[in-house]
Amino acid sequence: MATEREEDEARVTDISVGQSVYDDDGNELGTVRGIDDAGFYVLSTEDTGRVTLEEARSAFGESYVMWRCWECGEMGQIEGDLPAQCPDCGAPREDLYYWVED
């Protein structure tokens, strides 16, 4: 009999970018936008609101909030706002997101 952790790991290996994700009641939460060592990231089907830079800084502390690129993984410190594009690969601002670095 598989443990709960083994079952979770089996489900995660079946996840791919663009796949729809559902909660236990069968409601669609959104689609997988990215996958990394920490898990996967979902683009919500509903408008869940945006986190402003000020909200992120107040939650995590200014020195730890950075930006990260979905395309190449490049990271950088936020100076005012997110860059217009990734300086490493040229991905547009829409492909950058807040990242907490410890």
Side-chain angles (χ1 to χ4, degrees):
M1 177 177 234
T3 66
E4 187 174 332
R5 180 183 169 110
E6 290 169 333
E7 290 173 1
D8 287 344
E9 288 175 357
R11 282 192 294 261
V12 170
T13 59
D14 292 337
I15 294 174
S16 60
V17 173
Q19 177 182 352
S20 294
V21 179
Y22 301 87
D23 66 13
D24 289 337
D25 296 325
N27 301 310
E28 184 177 359
L29 300 173
T31 56
V32 176
R33 181 169 183 205
I35 303 169
D36 66 15
D37 292 340
F40 62 92
Y41 303 88
V42 176
L43 178 60
S44 175
T45 57
E46 297 180 14
D47 183 16
T48 56
R50 251 180 115 155
V51 175
T52 66
L53 179 57
E54 290 75 26
E55 291 169 329
R57 284 182 172 160
S58 68
F60 300 109
E62 184 171 341
S63 62
Y64 297 106
V65 179
M66 303 179 74
W67 61 264
R68 187 168 188 177
C69 178
W70 279 108
E71 293 298 318
C72 69
E74 179 73 18
M75 293 174 47
Q77 292 203 333
I78 296 176
E79 297 176 13
D81 199 4
L82 294 172
Q85 65 183 30
C86 175
D88 190 51
C89 72
R93 177 180 279 166
E94 292 77 23
D95 287 343
L96 306 179
Y97 59 96
Y98 295 125
W99 181 260
V100 179
E101 184 72 14
D102 52 354

